Amino acid sequence: KMEAAELKSVLEQHALWLKSGQAGGQDGKRADCTGQDLRGADLVGRDLRHADFREADLSNCKLDRAVLSGCNLTGTLLRNVSMRGADLEGADLSNADLRMADLMGAQLQGADFWRTNLNGCRISPENLHSVLRCRH
């Protein structure tokens, strides 16, 4: 499991990277949490645009109002996660596990839900078209 101090450092470096205009590491560093165990982390309201969470375990995390646009969440465990009001525009959630997740009020335009497990997931009715578009 990623230690709190390490997660704090990753988030600080990512914030610097975003502020520098994502200009190839001019300042800070893009968050790469590939395969990390982040279960139960409180990331409410965090700006995590373009972070890499491939195959990480974010089960039981609090991501309400987080900005996750452009994130790579391929194969990520997001069971029982709260993402109320989160911005997931353009995020890649293919092969992710969103069982029992709460996506009420989340922005899902352009998000990729290919082969995503959505059993028991709560999604606002106005966002169903975004999810169903990828479920064929």
Side-chain angles (χ1 to χ4, degrees):
K1 185 163 170 90
M2 184 182 276
E3 297 294 324
E6 183 182 357
L7 178 58
K8 182 181 178 191
S9 176
V10 167
L11 295 174
E12 288 171 354
Q13 288 297 306
H14 188 73
L16 286 172
W17 180 76
L18 288 171
K19 280 184 184 174
S20 70
Q22 306 160 27
Q26 198 172 8
D27 289 316
K29 182 180 175 192
R30 185 181 104 161
D32 184 353
C33 296
T34 303
Q36 294 291 328
D37 182 349
L38 300 169
R39 286 176 292 171
D42 185 347
L43 300 169
V44 171
R46 292 280 186 166
D47 188 347
L48 299 166
R49 285 175 287 156
H50 306 291
D52 193 344
F53 292 104
R54 279 175 296 153
E55 299 180 13
D57 189 347
L58 297 172
S59 298
N60 299 306
C61 280
K62 295 176 183 139
L63 288 157
D64 298 321
R65 300 175 311 286
V67 181
L68 298 160
S69 56
C71 278
N72 188 343
L73 294 155
T74 304
T76 302
L77 295 174
L78 292 156
R79 285 180 283 212
N80 202 38
V81 70
S82 181
M83 287 196 254
R84 295 179 72 84
D87 180 355
L88 289 154
E89 187 170 339
D92 186 351
L93 293 135
S94 55
N95 293 305
D97 185 346
L98 282 155
R99 283 181 281 176
M100 305 306 290
D102 187 349
L103 296 172
M104 294 301 287
Q107 298 172 31
L108 305 177
Q109 298 82 2
D112 186 351
F113 288 93
W114 181 253
R115 296 185 181 197
T116 299
N117 187 339
L118 296 165
N119 289 331
C121 186
R122 296 183 64 211
I123 300 172
S124 301
E126 64 271 14
N127 285 327
L128 284 177
H129 64 88
S130 295
V131 176
L132 295 175
R133 177 179 54 79
C134 295
R135 301 284 295 164
H136 305 246

